[in-house]
Amino acid sequence: MGDSVLGIDNVRLSDPHLSKGDKDSHFDVVWQYVGGWGPYQWIIVWLSIGVPCATVIAMNMMELVFFGMFTGAQCRLPYHTDITPENEQLFMDGLLPPGEHDGSLDMCSIYNRNWTVINETNVAFSANEDVLKCPNGWDYDRSKYRDTYVMDNDMICTGDVPMGKYGESVTTNILAAIPGALIYGVLSDRMGRRFVIFFGILLHCLAYYMMYIKPRSYVAFIFARFFMGLTYTGPYNSGIALCVEMTGLRFRDMVGVSFEGLYGVGIMWATLWFYILRKANWRWFHLSMALPYNLYCLYFFWAPESPRWLCTRSFCRGEKGVGENCEME
């Protein structure tokens, strides 16, 4: 079919003398010939590219919630033969300062008091008001969550405020997405959408493995959280670009909005997955997220590249996903 029938007067999309804007405008006309939305876009692009890319960011966001969950904690009482299950509550009331809410006990400190056991129902404590920062660690309520990173590393009372270090890790993870988006944006234009999607997923899996081996220091922990935040924006942003560029002009608004809907579906799926694994160790939780994406990376050898990107980079002829007649001669 000739170029004039499509409204492109003897212009080849792979012509190196065309500017990027000219190639983009001509390429929109090509979709009128090859079709802007059909089974190919629905199955190959939407399900195989859109769903995995949208769930990457959803899993990362929900991981921040599960990562720091705990339902209750208190300072662990000192080990002593005077403390028995029958009088444990008496020692808690006498050694733990009151909390901010009525009837609650402070979970970050303990009185440095001496005591005298009078009988099983009566214990006398000294009037010493010196407060210590839980020298014996914490006891956690594990009725809902068996083990999370915060519980495993006693991060609930670090810094000047409760959960201070965990809050720093969340902030680091989110702020890392800003330079990640800039870096992946440049790479996506230079290396292609497909490369950035799968390269970003591989790096994100590497971040999950870094968390699985359990960072030994707080600096290593913060680096792992930063690296995780740095890597998830590439698959998501490039996934949107690839899905939109694989559809005709008339369908792009629908595709862009629906891609955000996939993010919502990913949030619901991640919530269900985390609920199933709530009794598991947090390290296995990270491993369970990395392995499926590692297998998905094998799809790189069959995944299509954006035909718009290929034609603007003068790779139009003969590339898979564009077709042999992309130049419309």
Side-chain angles (χ1 to χ4, degrees), residues 23-69:
K23 292 179 181 180
D24 285 346
S25 61
H26 290 310
F27 195 84
D28 288 335
V29 182
V30 174
W31 286 117
Q32 300 177 21
Y33 175 71
V34 299
W37 183 262
Y40 178 82
Q41 284 93 339
W42 172 251
I43 298 175
I44 303 299
V45 178
W46 194 240
L47 295 181
S48 65
I49 299 294
V51 173
C53 290
T55 55
V56 165
I57 188 173
M59 296 291 277
N60 184 81
M61 292 293 102
M62 292 305 297
E63 183 261 356
L64 294 175
V65 178
F66 179 86
F67 191 70
M69 290 298 294

Side-chain angles (χ1 to χ4, degrees), residues 8-314:
I8 310 176
D9 295 330
N10 299 320
V11 175
R12 294 183 179 182
L13 293 174
S14 57
D15 187 347
H17 300 292
L18 283 178
S19 67
K20 183 178 183 299
D22 291 336
K23 292 179 181 180
D24 285 346
S25 61
H26 290 310
F27 195 84
D28 288 335
V29 182
V30 174
W31 286 117
Q32 300 177 21
Y33 175 71
V34 299
W37 183 262
Y40 178 82
Q41 284 93 339
W42 172 251
I43 298 175
I44 303 299
V45 178
W46 194 240
L47 295 181
S48 65
I49 299 294
V51 173
C53 290
T55 55
V56 165
I57 188 173
M59 296 291 277
N60 184 81
M61 292 293 102
M62 292 305 297
E63 183 261 356
L64 294 175
V65 178
F66 179 86
F67 191 70
M69 290 298 294
F70 73 99
T71 53
Q74 67 180 31
C75 277
R76 184 177 294 125
L77 298 177
Y79 175 78
H80 199 281
T81 55
D82 287 342
I83 303 177
T84 64
E86 290 75 17
N87 62 17
E88 184 178 15
Q89 187 61 47
L90 295 176
F91 277 91
M92 290 172 55
D93 295 336
L95 295 178
L96 301 182
E100 297 180 356
H101 305 286
D102 293 339
S104 65
L105 298 173
D106 188 5
M107 69 178 182
C108 295
S109 57
I110 186 172
Y111 286 129
N112 185 23
R113 289 174 171 174
N114 296 319
W115 65 81
T116 301
V117 178
I118 300 175
N119 53 50
E120 292 184 356
T121 59
N122 194 359
V123 180
F125 295 91
S126 65
N128 188 2
E129 297 295 327
D130 292 340
V131 175
L132 302 177
K133 292 293 185 180
C134 294
N136 305 297
W138 286 263
D139 289 321
Y140 295 94
D141 177 8
R142 301 180 186 272
S143 59
K144 291 186 178 180
Y145 303 96
R146 174 193 164 190
D147 195 18
T148 64
Y149 190 86
V150 169
M151 297 162 62
D152 196 25
N153 293 274
D154 291 335
M155 296 181 67
I156 61 172
C157 295
T158 53
D160 297 328
V161 295
M163 298 290 286
K165 285 190 175 181
Y166 172 70
E168 292 174 3
S169 72
V170 173
T171 303
T172 301
N173 181 271
I174 295 176
L175 290 179
I178 299 175
L182 297 175
I183 294 172
Y184 279 123
V186 174
L187 288 178
S188 180
D189 288 338
R190 291 183 176 272
M191 306 295 294
R193 320 304 190 201
R194 180 181 64 171
F195 171 82
V196 169
I197 288 172
F198 288 93
F199 180 69
I201 288 178
L202 277 177
L203 290 183
H204 200 62
C205 289
L206 177 60
Y208 282 136
Y209 288 129
M210 292 170 63
M211 294 303 301
Y212 173 73
I213 63 176
K214 187 180 179 180
R216 297 294 180 181
S217 66
Y218 181 65
V219 174
F221 165 69
I222 287 295
F223 175 78
R225 301 303 301 167
F226 180 85
F227 188 70
M228 184 173 290
L230 190 71
T231 55
Y232 76 80
T233 54
Y236 186 75
N237 294 340
S238 297
I240 293 179
L242 179 58
C243 288
V244 169
E245 291 173 354
M246 290 292 291
T247 55
L249 183 63
R250 187 162 60 93
F251 301 95
R252 288 175 191 163
D253 291 342
M254 179 270 293
V255 171
V257 173
S258 300
F259 196 94
E260 298 298 330
L262 289 178
Y263 169 67
V265 174
I267 288 289
M268 292 186 288
W269 160 245
T271 303
L272 175 61
W273 185 241
F274 298 159
Y275 177 79
I276 295 173
L277 295 180
R278 70 191 186 282
K279 293 294 186 179
N281 183 277
W282 63 270
R283 296 171 64 247
W284 292 104
F285 159 74
H286 284 89
L287 185 63
S288 72
M289 291 193 294
L291 292 179
Y293 285 117
N294 282 146
L295 295 175
Y296 172 70
C297 286
L298 297 175
Y299 181 62
F300 172 82
F301 301 100
W302 296 276
E305 179 56 277
S306 165
R308 176 183 293 273
W309 181 84
L310 289 171
C311 288
T312 57
R313 302 294 292 184
S314 300

